[in-house]
Amino acid sequence: MQMTRTLCSLAALAALAGCAGSSSSGGQGDAALRAKALEVMKASFKARGIATLDRLDQDETQALCSQYAASGPPKDVAQRIEQANLVAIKPPSDGRYLGDWKRGEQIAQRGTGLQWNDTKETPVGANCYACHQLTKEEISYGTIGPSLYNFGKIRGYTPDMEKYAWGKVWNADAYAACSLMPRFGHNGILTEAQIKDVVALLMDPQSPVNK
Amino acid sequence: MFSTRVAIAALAAVCAPMVLGQNTVDEIEKYRQALQDGNPAELWEARGEALWKQPRGPKKVSFERCDLGLGAGVVKGAYAQLPRYFADADRVMDLETRLVHCMVTQQGLTPEEAKRNPFGSPERKSDIEALVAYVTSESKGVKMSVPMRHAKEREAYALGEQMFYFRGGPHDFSCATCHGEDGKRIRLQDLPNLTKVAGAQRAYTTWPAYRVSQGELRTFQWRLYDCFRQQRFPELEFTSEASIALTSFLAKNADGAAYNAPAIKR
């Protein structure tokens, strides 16, 4: 494998394709191939509305998680990603983690926002139900993430748990490197107030999540 | 068309009073199977066949001189071997790109004219969607066999693989976010695992498809375009190099499966 990678990184573009077989089993380890792919992508997408081309500029977490996508990041890389994301979590400015679970439910249902067919005025949702079960009432839920039904009831309505739920919604990569879940606070998808509402949906004893 | 409406009505009747749960998933599966009976894609195929044979453009030339890889005018089985390298253009092309190429080089259209309406609406039908429906229908039952003999074909595959795993945008999404594991779904929509042969085969061989929810036939170019919209990426340009590379990756992974489209999907 090391040999293959070395050969590939030395190779000219015409020979890049020879790596097709090896890269599918490993971690897409070849820097020249990655650079070429990015160059082709930048020439193949165009800015439309709010979706500008800089969305193709990866931060370190995105770059590493792309590089190691097929195999998962090595332990030291995973720790580095988690640490960098953990220290970037911003706690609520007034120290209170819980907002209104009813508004949280609306945010969890909403799938719009930040697409090129949305505008700056389009309400931005978290679309939690796309990937998670949350309540018994909503049967149209996805399974990419685990069920969050009874999230607070099972874990306990403690300040530590509120803080954890906040961190997880703010930046999931802080707890699981290369999580499939968007970093809702870190990347500015949701506002602080919206994250409070989502945390309330998970942690308020009155929320249907905990019934 | 009629049977589709009946199926939707039947689903509504079944779902309304139901206590939801596993039953819902079963009923949706019944709905999907009911859809298979009578596919409006046939209307696109018929229109596409007429367009294929009709003299078009300033030069009044039909597509019957267009080489899709198996020789001028040969349509039968051509889609099962695309994308591929074309020496006359010195690049890898998927079907849509090749159709545009023939419109420009043989029929005399400008590239802008040829690419003007890739995704149609009821008011403004797309010629490309119709042509794609016709050409793909002529590969029904043919085993997928995407060539990897030319270095540029292998390069397209390798680049497509990189793009499949590329995470970006405000949501950190890549294709693999939704299509990297078995048995997952978004809401109630099943997601194919495109990193495994079985998943790639089942998904790729059922595009293009008539989308009941849109009342239009959608091509593989559209599938990629709309996935990237939901990934919160910028707009994927029609017949761009990235779209061809990703298509090469996914088409090659479907090798060996019998092609089975145009299909019908919700």
Side-chain angles (χ1 to χ4, degrees), chain B residues 28-48:
Chain B
I28 287 169
E29 190 46 43
K30 276 189 208 163
Y31 162 69
R32 287 187 183 131
Q33 294 193 352
L35 283 181
Q36 302 306 316
D37 174 29
N39 183 349
E42 287 167 15
L43 302 174
W44 274 256
E45 293 168 27
R47 193 161 64 83

PDB file of all heavy atoms in Angstrom, chain B residues 28-48:
ATOM      1  N   ILE B  28     -46.102   1.584   1.767  1.00  0.00           N
ATOM      2  CA  ILE B  28     -45.339   2.377   0.802  1.00  0.00           C
ATOM      3  C   ILE B  28     -44.677   1.452  -0.218  1.00  0.00           C
ATOM      4  O   ILE B  28     -44.630   1.753  -1.407  1.00  0.00           O
ATOM      5  CB  ILE B  28     -44.308   3.271   1.541  1.00  0.00           C
ATOM      6  CG1 ILE B  28     -45.056   4.409   2.218  1.00  0.00           C
ATOM      7  CG2 ILE B  28     -43.264   3.822   0.581  1.00  0.00           C
ATOM      8  CD1 ILE B  28     -44.237   5.216   3.180  1.00  0.00           C
ATOM      9  N   GLU B  29     -44.214   0.318   0.248  1.00  0.00           N
ATOM     10  CA  GLU B  29     -43.621  -0.660  -0.670  1.00  0.00           C
ATOM     11  C   GLU B  29     -44.669  -1.143  -1.677  1.00  0.00           C
ATOM     12  O   GLU B  29     -44.390  -1.263  -2.871  1.00  0.00           O
ATOM     13  CB  GLU B  29     -43.040  -1.831   0.124  1.00  0.00           C
ATOM     14  CG  GLU B  29     -42.192  -2.795  -0.702  1.00  0.00           C
ATOM     15  CD  GLU B  29     -41.196  -2.093  -1.627  1.00  0.00           C
ATOM     16  OE1 GLU B  29     -40.528  -1.122  -1.227  1.00  0.00           O
ATOM     17  OE2 GLU B  29     -41.126  -2.511  -2.803  1.00  0.00           O
ATOM     18  N   LYS B  30     -45.910  -1.359  -1.208  1.00  0.00           N
ATOM     19  CA  LYS B  30     -46.997  -1.766  -2.118  1.00  0.00           C
ATOM     20  C   LYS B  30     -47.241  -0.677  -3.168  1.00  0.00           C
ATOM     21  O   LYS B  30     -47.465  -0.961  -4.334  1.00  0.00           O
ATOM     22  CB  LYS B  30     -48.301  -1.990  -1.332  1.00  0.00           C
ATOM     23  CG  LYS B  30     -48.405  -3.370  -0.701  1.00  0.00           C
ATOM     24  CD  LYS B  30     -49.818  -3.577  -0.150  1.00  0.00           C
ATOM     25  CE  LYS B  30     -49.800  -4.532   1.015  1.00  0.00           C
ATOM     26  NZ  LYS B  30     -51.024  -4.448   1.816  1.00  0.00           N
ATOM     27  N   TYR B  31     -47.203   0.573  -2.699  1.00  0.00           N
ATOM     28  CA  TYR B  31     -47.405   1.702  -3.600  1.00  0.00           C
ATOM     29  C   TYR B  31     -46.329   1.716  -4.674  1.00  0.00           C
ATOM     30  O   TYR B  31     -46.598   1.859  -5.860  1.00  0.00           O
ATOM     31  CB  TYR B  31     -47.388   2.997  -2.787  1.00  0.00           C
ATOM     32  CG  TYR B  31     -47.162   4.268  -3.580  1.00  0.00           C
ATOM     33  CD1 TYR B  31     -48.126   4.740  -4.466  1.00  0.00           C
ATOM     34  CD2 TYR B  31     -45.991   5.002  -3.424  1.00  0.00           C
ATOM     35  CE1 TYR B  31     -47.910   5.913  -5.185  1.00  0.00           C
ATOM     36  CE2 TYR B  31     -45.771   6.167  -4.135  1.00  0.00           C
ATOM     37  CZ  TYR B  31     -46.729   6.616  -5.011  1.00  0.00           C
ATOM     38  OH  TYR B  31     -46.512   7.773  -5.723  1.00  0.00           O
ATOM     39  N   ARG B  32     -45.084   1.507  -4.237  1.00  0.00           N
ATOM     40  CA  ARG B  32     -43.986   1.517  -5.204  1.00  0.00           C
ATOM     41  C   ARG B  32     -44.165   0.422  -6.241  1.00  0.00           C
ATOM     42  O   ARG B  32     -43.879   0.602  -7.423  1.00  0.00           O
ATOM     43  CB  ARG B  32     -42.645   1.321  -4.482  1.00  0.00           C
ATOM     44  CG  ARG B  32     -42.233   2.561  -3.723  1.00  0.00           C
ATOM     45  CD  ARG B  32     -40.812   2.432  -3.151  1.00  0.00           C
ATOM     46  NE  ARG B  32     -40.517   3.614  -2.372  1.00  0.00           N
ATOM     47  CZ  ARG B  32     -40.025   3.620  -1.139  1.00  0.00           C
ATOM     48  NH1 ARG B  32     -39.743   2.490  -0.536  1.00  0.00           N
ATOM     49  NH2 ARG B  32     -39.798   4.737  -0.516  1.00  0.00           N
ATOM     50  N   GLN B  33     -44.653  -0.742  -5.792  1.00  0.00           N
ATOM     51  CA  GLN B  33     -44.834  -1.839  -6.743  1.00  0.00           C
ATOM     52  C   GLN B  33     -45.981  -1.550  -7.690  1.00  0.00           C
ATOM     53  O   GLN B  33     -45.910  -1.874  -8.875  1.00  0.00           O
ATOM     54  CB  GLN B  33     -45.030  -3.142  -5.984  1.00  0.00           C
ATOM     55  CG  GLN B  33     -43.740  -3.483  -5.251  1.00  0.00           C
ATOM     56  CD  GLN B  33     -43.679  -4.895  -4.723  1.00  0.00           C
ATOM     57  OE1 GLN B  33     -44.659  -5.622  -4.771  1.00  0.00           O
ATOM     58  NE2 GLN B  33     -42.531  -5.266  -4.216  1.00  0.00           N
ATOM     59  N   ALA B  34     -47.029  -0.908  -7.154  1.00  0.00           N
ATOM     60  CA  ALA B  34     -48.174  -0.569  -8.006  1.00  0.00           C
ATOM     61  C   ALA B  34     -47.748   0.383  -9.118  1.00  0.00           C
ATOM     62  O   ALA B  34     -48.260   0.347 -10.232  1.00  0.00           O
ATOM     63  CB  ALA B  34     -49.283   0.058  -7.158  1.00  0.00           C
ATOM     64  N   LEU B  35     -46.769   1.253  -8.801  1.00  0.00           N
ATOM     65  CA  LEU B  35     -46.278   2.223  -9.780  1.00  0.00           C
ATOM     66  C   LEU B  35     -45.656   1.556 -11.006  1.00  0.00           C
ATOM     67  O   LEU B  35     -45.655   2.118 -12.090  1.00  0.00           O
ATOM     68  CB  LEU B  35     -45.212   3.126  -9.153  1.00  0.00           C
ATOM     69  CG  LEU B  35     -45.666   4.242  -8.224  1.00  0.00           C
ATOM     70  CD1 LEU B  35     -44.444   5.011  -7.755  1.00  0.00           C
ATOM     71  CD2 LEU B  35     -46.639   5.163  -8.915  1.00  0.00           C
ATOM     72  N   GLN B  36     -45.104   0.352 -10.792  1.00  0.00           N
ATOM     73  CA  GLN B  36     -44.371  -0.289 -11.888  1.00  0.00           C
ATOM     74  C   GLN B  36     -45.291  -0.640 -13.048  1.00  0.00           C
ATOM     75  O   GLN B  36     -44.849  -0.890 -14.166  1.00  0.00           O
ATOM     76  CB  GLN B  36     -43.661  -1.560 -11.385  1.00  0.00           C
ATOM     77  CG  GLN B  36     -42.695  -1.320 -10.242  1.00  0.00           C
ATOM     78  CD  GLN B  36     -41.651  -0.258 -10.539  1.00  0.00           C
ATOM     79  OE1 GLN B  36     -41.065  -0.230 -11.612  1.00  0.00           O
ATOM     80  NE2 GLN B  36     -41.427   0.646  -9.587  1.00  0.00           N
ATOM     81  N   ASP B  37     -46.590  -0.685 -12.787  1.00  0.00           N
ATOM     82  CA  ASP B  37     -47.557  -1.080 -13.803  1.00  0.00           C
ATOM     83  C   ASP B  37     -47.953   0.135 -14.642  1.00  0.00           C
ATOM     84  O   ASP B  37     -48.802   0.921 -14.267  1.00  0.00           O
ATOM     85  CB  ASP B  37     -48.775  -1.700 -13.089  1.00  0.00           C
ATOM     86  CG  ASP B  37     -49.891  -2.005 -14.076  1.00  0.00           C
ATOM     87  OD1 ASP B  37     -49.578  -2.268 -15.241  1.00  0.00           O
ATOM     88  OD2 ASP B  37     -51.058  -1.970 -13.654  1.00  0.00           O
ATOM     89  N   GLY B  38     -47.311   0.286 -15.792  1.00  0.00           N
ATOM     90  CA  GLY B  38     -47.661   1.405 -16.660  1.00  0.00           C
ATOM     91  C   GLY B  38     -46.776   2.594 -16.368  1.00  0.00           C
ATOM     92  O   GLY B  38     -47.008   3.349 -15.435  1.00  0.00           O
ATOM     93  N   ASN B  39     -45.707   2.762 -17.131  1.00  0.00           N
ATOM     94  CA  ASN B  39     -44.735   3.820 -16.857  1.00  0.00           C
ATOM     95  C   ASN B  39     -44.854   4.916 -17.914  1.00  0.00           C
ATOM     96  O   ASN B  39     -44.597   4.685 -19.091  1.00  0.00           O
ATOM     97  CB  ASN B  39     -43.325   3.216 -16.864  1.00  0.00           C
ATOM     98  CG  ASN B  39     -42.259   4.223 -16.506  1.00  0.00           C
ATOM     99  OD1 ASN B  39     -42.520   5.431 -16.435  1.00  0.00           O
ATOM    100  ND2 ASN B  39     -41.047   3.734 -16.281  1.00  0.00           N
ATOM    101  N   PRO B  40     -45.217   6.147 -17.500  1.00  0.00           N
ATOM    102  CA  PRO B  40     -45.337   7.250 -18.466  1.00  0.00           C
ATOM    103  C   PRO B  40     -44.030   7.563 -19.192  1.00  0.00           C
ATOM    104  O   PRO B  40     -44.040   8.336 -20.155  1.00  0.00           O
ATOM    105  CB  PRO B  40     -45.758   8.442 -17.596  1.00  0.00           C
ATOM    106  CG  PRO B  40     -46.277   7.835 -16.348  1.00  0.00           C
ATOM    107  CD  PRO B  40     -45.537   6.555 -16.145  1.00  0.00           C
ATOM    108  N   ALA B  41     -42.895   6.999 -18.736  1.00  0.00           N
ATOM    109  CA  ALA B  41     -41.621   7.210 -19.433  1.00  0.00           C
ATOM    110  C   ALA B  41     -41.744   6.852 -20.911  1.00  0.00           C
ATOM    111  O   ALA B  41     -41.013   7.391 -21.750  1.00  0.00           O
ATOM    112  CB  ALA B  41     -40.523   6.377 -18.779  1.00  0.00           C
ATOM    113  N   GLU B  42     -42.681   5.961 -21.230  1.00  0.00           N
ATOM    114  CA  GLU B  42     -42.883   5.565 -22.633  1.00  0.00           C
ATOM    115  C   GLU B  42     -43.188   6.777 -23.520  1.00  0.00           C
ATOM    116  O   GLU B  42     -42.813   6.794 -24.690  1.00  0.00           O
ATOM    117  CB  GLU B  42     -44.032   4.556 -22.729  1.00  0.00           C
ATOM    118  CG  GLU B  42     -43.635   3.182 -22.200  1.00  0.00           C
ATOM    119  CD  GLU B  42     -44.837   2.262 -22.003  1.00  0.00           C
ATOM    120  OE1 GLU B  42     -45.920   2.570 -22.538  1.00  0.00           O
ATOM    121  OE2 GLU B  42     -44.671   1.253 -21.305  1.00  0.00           O
ATOM    122  N   LEU B  43     -43.860   7.768 -22.962  1.00  0.00           N
ATOM    123  CA  LEU B  43     -44.167   8.974 -23.747  1.00  0.00           C
ATOM    124  C   LEU B  43     -42.885   9.717 -24.114  1.00  0.00           C
ATOM    125  O   LEU B  43     -42.747  10.239 -25.216  1.00  0.00           O
ATOM    126  CB  LEU B  43     -45.100   9.903 -22.952  1.00  0.00           C
ATOM    127  CG  LEU B  43     -46.439   9.301 -22.513  1.00  0.00           C
ATOM    128  CD1 LEU B  43     -47.200  10.266 -21.609  1.00  0.00           C
ATOM    129  CD2 LEU B  43     -47.287   8.940 -23.728  1.00  0.00           C
ATOM    130  N   TRP B  44     -41.930   9.762 -23.166  1.00  0.00           N
ATOM    131  CA  TRP B  44     -40.640  10.420 -23.429  1.00  0.00           C
ATOM    132  C   TRP B  44     -39.831   9.599 -24.452  1.00  0.00           C
ATOM    133  O   TRP B  44     -39.170  10.155 -25.308  1.00  0.00           O
ATOM    134  CB  TRP B  44     -39.848  10.578 -22.127  1.00  0.00           C
ATOM    135  CG  TRP B  44     -40.176  11.811 -21.349  1.00  0.00           C
ATOM    136  CD1 TRP B  44     -39.423  12.945 -21.260  1.00  0.00           C
ATOM    137  CD2 TRP B  44     -41.357  12.060 -20.564  1.00  0.00           C
ATOM    138  NE1 TRP B  44     -40.056  13.869 -20.462  1.00  0.00           N
ATOM    139  CE2 TRP B  44     -41.222  13.361 -20.022  1.00  0.00           C
ATOM    140  CE3 TRP B  44     -42.493  11.318 -20.260  1.00  0.00           C
ATOM    141  CZ2 TRP B  44     -42.192  13.929 -19.193  1.00  0.00           C
ATOM    142  CZ3 TRP B  44     -43.463  11.882 -19.434  1.00  0.00           C
ATOM    143  CH2 TRP B  44     -43.317  13.170 -18.917  1.00  0.00           C
ATOM    144  N   GLU B  45     -39.894   8.283 -24.300  1.00  0.00           N
ATOM    145  CA  GLU B  45     -39.159   7.410 -25.230  1.00  0.00           C
ATOM    146  C   GLU B  45     -39.650   7.613 -26.666  1.00  0.00           C
ATOM    147  O   GLU B  45     -38.847   7.735 -27.599  1.00  0.00           O
ATOM    148  CB  GLU B  45     -39.328   5.933 -24.822  1.00  0.00           C
ATOM    149  CG  GLU B  45     -38.660   5.604 -23.499  1.00  0.00           C
ATOM    150  CD  GLU B  45     -39.088   4.226 -22.960  1.00  0.00           C
ATOM    151  OE1 GLU B  45     -39.456   3.346 -23.751  1.00  0.00           O
ATOM    152  OE2 GLU B  45     -39.069   4.062 -21.718  1.00  0.00           O
ATOM    153  N   ALA B  46     -40.967   7.688 -26.841  1.00  0.00           N
ATOM    154  CA  ALA B  46     -41.535   7.843 -28.192  1.00  0.00           C
ATOM    155  C   ALA B  46     -41.152   9.198 -28.787  1.00  0.00           C
ATOM    156  O   ALA B  46     -40.749   9.303 -29.950  1.00  0.00           O
ATOM    157  CB  ALA B  46     -43.053   7.687 -28.133  1.00  0.00           C
ATOM    158  N   ARG B  47     -41.223  10.249 -27.952  1.00  0.00           N
ATOM    159  CA  ARG B  47     -40.851  11.581 -28.431  1.00  0.00           C
ATOM    160  C   ARG B  47     -39.363  11.616 -28.760  1.00  0.00           C
ATOM    161  O   ARG B  47     -38.934  12.223 -29.755  1.00  0.00           O
ATOM    162  CB  ARG B  47     -41.198  12.635 -27.362  1.00  0.00           C
ATOM    163  CG  ARG B  47     -41.153  14.075 -27.856  1.00  0.00           C
ATOM    164  CD  ARG B  47     -41.925  15.018 -26.941  1.00  0.00           C
ATOM    165  NE  ARG B  47     -41.368  15.116 -25.604  1.00  0.00           N
ATOM    166  CZ  ARG B  47     -40.344  15.921 -25.265  1.00  0.00           C
ATOM    167  NH1 ARG B  47     -39.783  16.696 -26.173  1.00  0.00           N
ATOM    168  NH2 ARG B  47     -39.887  15.945 -24.031  1.00  0.00           N
ATOM    169  N   GLY B  48     -38.567  10.956 -27.935  1.00  0.00           N
ATOM    170  CA  GLY B  48     -37.118  10.921 -28.162  1.00  0.00           C
ATOM    171  C   GLY B  48     -36.761  10.193 -29.447  1.00  0.00           C
ATOM    172  O   GLY B  48     -35.858  10.618 -30.178  1.00  0.00           O
TER     173      GLY B  48
END
